[in-house]
Amino acid sequence: MNIFKAGNKPLSAGEVTKRLGLTKAHRKQVKDLIKGLVREGSIIKIGSAYGLVSRMNMVTGRLQVQRSGTTFLIPDDKKLSDIFIHPKNMRDAWHGDRVTVALTSAGRGNKKQEGRVVRVLERGRQVFPVRVIRPMGGTALLCHPTDPRLDFGIVVEPGSVEEVPVREGDGTDISSDGTYDEQVDFSRIERGDVLLVAPGEQINPNLWEGRILKHLGIEDDALVQEAVVKANHGISTAFPEKVLAQADDLPGVPGEEDFSGREDMRGIAFVTIDGETAKDFDDAVHVERKGAGYRLRVAIADVSHYVAMNSPLDREALARGNSYYFPKSVEPMFPEALSNGLCSLNPGVPRLAMTATIDFNSAGEPQASSFAPAVIKSHARLTYEQVYEGILLAQERERAALGELVPMLELAEELARKINKRRRDRGSLEFDLPEPEILFNLQGRTVDIRPRCRNFAHQIIEEFMIAANEAVAEFLTEKGAGCLYRVHPGPDPDKLTSLFRVLKKMGIGGQVPSPVTPQSLQQVLGASEGTDQEYLVSRLMIRSMKQAKYEPANEGHFGLASKCYCHFTSPIRRYADLVVHRMLKVALGDTHQAIPGQKQLARIGTDISARERVAMEAEREILKRLTIIFLKDKVGETFTGIISSMADFGFWVEFQEVMAEGMLRLSKLTDDYYTFWSDRQLIVGERTGKAFRLGQKIKVRLESVSLELLEADLSLVEGGEDYKNFV
């Protein structure tokens, strides 16, 4: 790069060779160097020469196409703002591609800079799922990508599928040598089926050739839709051979030699409390009296004992970042031999763990903490429902089944309530928004989507995990040992200003508090609790929040009102926790444990924060897809709903009968011309003054659903009020 920076003009390969003091004998090395710089987007070829992208009014980054079709370049240089790309300036680039863009106009005021794609550096996807649309003459089939952001056709033809090399992590099953080996029976493919294809040559601006790699099945199948989402988001579904080989070499159970140097806590009655279908048990807990206070022990699976830094298992776990959970399947961060076996705190068997022991006073305030590698034995695998029925509801049958564990669990509930109160008192923000649960029949079809049941049994474990995470972060900080913190910055200032502008016009809030603290926002939430505005205030406040992330610098966790926080309690399913375990071991004096340096730690934080966002996006997409399939036979039905979000073209409505939502476009409101008042979150009719607001209850009819567009279209049956009621 220095050669190009020192030059005052683009350089040919020959000039680069001379400036490096090399000869023609080094031609291959020079070509490889130039290819690498072109691939990473630092230089670009102009004729027979190569110039610096940064000196040619160009920017390198990744294309992001929104569902509306609007496209932006997200620059590699995070100091630069996003750049708008008009559809006519896309060339042959797709959503997710890494590209070089030439700037065509400067941004002024609220208007973004514009650019045009000049080169595709790297395809965001080498493989993607498509839906068969129709036959296309002869035996060819016209298909369309299942991702609505990929707006082009794919033509596929029959024939045996050649082995097609792919990158690991493209979201598809691959054989151990990294190739597909499935032979596709073309005669079984029908209209509407979903295929996995590798794109070939471009036929015209809107059409590409493609090769079938796999016939996934019918589109209404939940597992097919899960495969689609995994492919759309590049979620790995198979482990490389080296990773499986390393997992196979590990013992089935820990041996006596593994217990050396560890505290023996097998006599302590630890229990795991998880969901009914959970198979990987990261954490176990135990509570006992200590004077007038309490002693909480949290034991977390010691994955770092088996997974060395930079080993095949470790590299794959870092690439995945976390486990990915779907309604009918899981793509774990580690092979099942570890996640469900050797590392899982299964009942009745010895397991290696890292333990946090925290003493609390009678008010639930932490007084002292200690940490140690240990060997434990879980005394019971409990479910949230068991604890809820036996401890919180005191049902005799369940209490009898819990037996000797009842006193310990009652003490755990007592301590958890005090910890929870202390957290609330310091300003921890809690948004009580329901999570959807998808129910399937024996044939695998969705029969209901309802709010997931939560009770204080869930909260017991949540409080203990938060307490352990804080204790570990504070210990590492005090020791100066370094930590990968879980950071949640304060709210976005512009969004917060908009929030309080809306609240002020609704008569709920005044000016933006100064300073903005969790307590001040908690007071706003409290003021709206139980009122008609509670829904609106909660939603708008959530949207003003920034995303949490992993960083080596401690900036605190705003949402939890915590000055020092990390993730320690789930190393089986989150890579961040594995890193923290390693750093904790070093802080405790382990001289054999390798840990990342600060620069590497920062890169790890950036990478796994990105993978966490992928998991969240995949979770939202599979929910949307299965919801649309569920609603297909309900077109024409009427639903009661709550307006959940607004835009200048319409509003979204969440149904009350089922956890689903649809869009009611303003073009469907034919009794008036409607305008979106963004500063008040109102949509108002110009003639009638009829208004719709966030949180308002209305009746709608489901007019149509589209799996291709991931949309459910609604029309109004009943609703709307005089806008004067809201001002």
Side-chain angles (χ1 to χ4, degrees):
M1 277 291 289
N2 289 335
I3 294 294
F4 288 95
K5 288 178 180 177
N8 293 318
K9 66 182 184 67
L11 303 175
S12 67
E15 287 173 315
V16 172
T17 304
K18 286 180 183 178
R19 294 192 182 213
L20 288 173
L22 303 175
T23 66
K24 290 182 178 179
H26 301 94
R27 186 178 297 164
K28 184 179 185 305
Q29 291 94 320
V30 172
K31 281 188 176 180
D32 289 343
L33 169 68
I34 290 173
K35 281 182 181 177
L37 292 173
V38 169
R39 192 163 48 246
E40 71 180 36
S42 298
I43 63 174
I44 190 168
K45 189 173 184 181
I46 316 146
S48 60
Y50 299 86
L52 284 167
V53 167
S54 60
R55 297 279 295 274
M56 302 177 69
N57 209 30
M58 294 184 184
V59 179
T60 298
R62 200 166 290 278
L63 283 180
Q64 186 178 87
V65 180
Q66 299 177 351
R67 296 205 184 278
S68 62
T70 306
T71 303
F72 296 97
L73 179 83
I74 312 300
D76 291 341
D77 185 346
K78 300 306 176 189
K79 296 176 185 176
L80 300 177
S81 299
D82 298 350
I83 298 164
F84 173 72
I85 311 294
H86 192 278
K88 69 181 181 183
N89 293 325
M90 286 282 285
R91 292 190 62 175
D92 60 345
W94 307 331
H95 167 73
D97 287 355
R98 192 157 174 273
V99 300
T100 298
V101 163
L103 300 179
T104 57
S105 69
R108 293 185 179 86
N110 293 327
K111 190 176 180 182
K112 289 186 178 292
Q113 279 188 310
E114 295 189 22
R116 60 180 174 82
V117 175
V118 295
R119 183 150 304 165
V120 175
L121 302 173
E122 178 189 4
R123 285 292 183 201
R125 301 183 198 176
Q126 307 260 343
V127 170
F128 44 74
V130 300
R131 180 179 181 273
V132 178
I133 304 299
R134 59 178 172 81
M136 195 180 172
T139 55
L141 296 174
L142 176 64
C143 307
H144 194 282
T146 57
D147 187 337
R149 295 170 297 185
L150 299 176
D151 191 18
F152 51 83
I154 297 274
V155 178
V156 298
E157 298 205 42
S160 296
V161 178
E162 301 174 7
E163 290 190 340
V164 182
V166 296
R167 301 173 300 169
E168 291 172 5
D170 67 350
T172 58
D173 293 319
I174 56 174
S175 61
S176 59
D177 61 356
T179 61
Y180 292 93
D181 53 14
E182 176 172 326
Q183 297 294 309
V184 177
D185 183 352
F186 208 82
S187 65
R188 294 178 56 206
I189 299 174
E190 298 181 2
R191 181 179 298 185
D193 281 6
V194 180
L195 315 173
L196 206 61
V197 304
E201 296 298 316
Q202 188 173 20
I203 300 171
N204 62 46
N206 297 310
L207 199 62
W208 294 73
E209 293 178 345
R211 290 171 293 178
I212 304 176
L213 307 178
K214 195 169 187 178
H215 181 196
L216 294 177
I218 61 173
E219 68 173 350
D220 283 2
D221 187 293
L223 285 172
V224 170
Q225 288 302 320
E226 289 187 2
V228 165
V229 173
K230 292 170 190 179
N232 282 346
H233 294 276
I235 296 171
S236 297
T237 61
F239 287 98
E241 187 175 5
K242 288 182 180 179
V243 174
L244 294 174
Q246 185 186 353
D248 289 342
D249 286 343
L250 292 171
V253 294
E256 287 296 328
E257 67 279 6
D258 297 314
F259 302 160
S260 176
R262 292 177 176 269
E263 286 191 29
D264 191 341
M265 294 187 177
R266 282 175 285 187
I268 296 174
F270 281 102
V271 298
T272 62
I273 307 175
D274 292 273
E276 193 77 44
T277 59
K279 295 179 181 178
D280 53 345
F281 307 121
D282 284 288
D283 56 89
V285 299
H286 179 265
V287 181
E288 65 185 20
R289 276 281 178 205
K290 187 175 187 297
Y294 312 83
R295 171 164 285 176
L296 166 67
R297 291 187 181 92
V298 176
I300 305 299
D302 188 1
V303 179
S304 63
H305 180 82
Y306 302 106
V307 180
M309 190 171 158
N310 293 324
S311 66
L313 275 168
D314 181 63
R315 289 194 296 270
E316 179 68 13
L318 174 57
R320 293 178 179 230
N322 42 249
S323 295
Y324 299 85
Y325 294 89
F326 295 87
K328 300 199 75 174
S329 65
V330 177
E331 297 304 337
M333 191 171 76
F334 291 110
E336 286 189 9
L338 274 80
S339 61
N340 294 1
L342 182 60
C343 292
S344 182
L345 304 182
N346 297 329
V349 292
R351 286 291 185 260
L352 305 186
M354 292 297 293
T355 60
T357 301
I358 310 170
D359 291 338
F360 294 86
N361 64 17
S362 59
E365 298 168 334
Q367 303 298 296
S369 59
S370 60
F371 310 91
V375 53
I376 74 156
K377 183 174 72 172
S378 170
H379 285 229
R381 181 269 197 259
L382 305 179
T383 67
Y384 295 119
E385 198 62 24
Q386 280 179 285
V387 175
Y388 177 65
E389 292 178 357
I391 305 304
L392 283 87
L393 298 183
Q395 293 181 0
E396 287 302 323
R397 185 182 65 178
E398 202 56 64
R399 289 175 74 83
L402 292 172
E404 295 178 351
L405 294 174
V406 168
M408 190 276 287
L409 293 171
E410 288 180 333
L411 204 59
E413 181 204 357
E414 184 180 308
L415 174 59
R417 290 192 183 278
K418 291 181 178 181
I419 297 174
N420 178 258
K421 180 181 183 304
R422 183 179 62 86
R423 268 202 316 113
R424 287 174 176 269
D425 288 346
R426 77 186 186 192
S428 183
L429 299 173
E430 295 188 9
F431 301 99
D432 190 20
L433 298 177
E435 294 181 13
E437 180 180 21
I438 299 176
L439 303 181
F440 299 96
N441 61 17
L442 294 176
Q443 290 72 43
R445 295 186 67 84
T446 304
V447 293
D448 197 7
I449 305 173
R450 66 186 186 190
R452 189 179 299 277
C453 180
R454 265 186 68 89
N455 52 58
F456 199 78
H458 296 80
Q459 199 69 40
I460 291 173
I461 294 302
E462 188 170 324
E463 295 300 340
F464 292 170
M465 296 305 108
I466 291 173
N469 288 336
E470 281 188 324
V472 170
E474 289 167 1
F475 174 75
L476 290 174
T477 303
E478 290 168 5
K479 295 278 285 188
C483 182
L484 186 58
Y485 295 97
R486 179 64 166 177
V487 171
H488 184 216
D492 181 281
D494 292 338
K495 290 182 179 179
L496 202 61
T497 300
S498 298
L499 165 65
F500 275 85
R501 189 185 300 126
V502 172
L503 296 182
K504 187 176 181 180
K505 291 186 177 180
M506 293 175 61
I508 297 175
Q511 301 299 319
V512 177
S514 181
V516 175
T517 64
Q519 291 94 330
S520 63
L521 297 189
Q522 188 189 63
Q523 288 171 5
V524 175
L525 285 172
S528 68
E529 193 171 348
T531 71
D532 291 342
Q533 288 81 28
E534 181 178 7
Y535 184 94
L536 180 146
V537 174
S538 295
R539 284 304 174 101
L540 290 180
M541 193 169 289
I542 287 174
R543 289 169 196 166
S544 73
M545 296 293 164
K546 293 181 180 177
Q547 285 188 319
K549 56 187 175 180
Y550 296 104
E551 285 189 349
N554 181 24
E555 298 176 17
H557 194 294
F558 187 90
L560 291 174
S562 177
K563 295 178 180 178
C564 193
Y565 196 71
C566 73
H567 276 164
F568 159 76
T569 54
S570 297
I572 290 177
R573 59 185 179 87
R574 281 193 311 233
Y575 190 82
D577 304 54
L578 178 57
V579 173
V580 169
H581 274 233
R582 290 170 176 158
M583 302 186 91
L584 178 60
K585 283 187 173 180
V586 170
L588 292 172
D590 188 333
T591 57
H592 301 291
Q593 177 65 62
I595 59 173
Q598 282 297 102
K599 286 187 177 179
Q600 186 181 3
L601 196 61
R603 286 197 301 272
I604 289 172
T606 299
D607 290 346
I608 61 178
S609 295
R611 292 311 298 174
E612 180 186 35
R613 289 191 290 274
V614 168
M616 292 168 63
E617 290 166 4
E619 185 179 328
R620 283 194 290 264
E621 183 176 336
I622 189 59
L623 174 62
K624 187 168 285 190
R625 288 181 173 278
L626 294 183
T627 299
I628 287 172
I629 291 172
F630 172 68
L631 291 175
K632 275 187 175 180
D633 61 358
K634 295 168 179 58
V635 171
E637 293 185 15
T638 299
F639 296 89
T640 303
I642 298 288
I643 298 176
S644 60
S645 186
M646 288 187 162
D648 56 5
F649 52 86
F651 50 85
W652 286 265
V653 180
E654 287 185 4
F655 303 159
Q656 292 192 314
E657 293 85 353
V658 60
M659 282 202 74
E661 72 170 10
M663 156 64 74
L664 201 160
R665 299 179 184 278
L666 298 190
S667 57
K668 291 285 182 70
L669 299 174
T670 57
D671 63 332
D672 203 344
Y673 293 108
Y674 285 84
T675 305
F676 178 40
W677 295 3
S678 59
D679 62 333
R680 302 191 186 191
Q681 289 293 298
L682 288 173
I683 287 177
V684 181
E686 295 177 5
R687 179 181 58 83
T688 61
K690 186 176 177 181
F692 301 90
R693 64 167 172 82
L694 207 63
Q696 185 180 355
K697 185 182 289 189
I698 61 174
K699 281 189 177 180
V700 294
R701 180 178 294 106
L702 180 62
E703 296 292 347
S704 65
V705 294
S706 170
L707 198 54
E708 293 77 23
L709 299 175
L710 297 182
E711 290 180 354
D713 284 328
L714 310 174
S715 62
L716 183 68
V717 174
E718 182 182 306
E721 298 181 42
D722 190 322
Y723 83 97
K724 293 177 183 177
N725 294 339
F726 307 133
V727 296

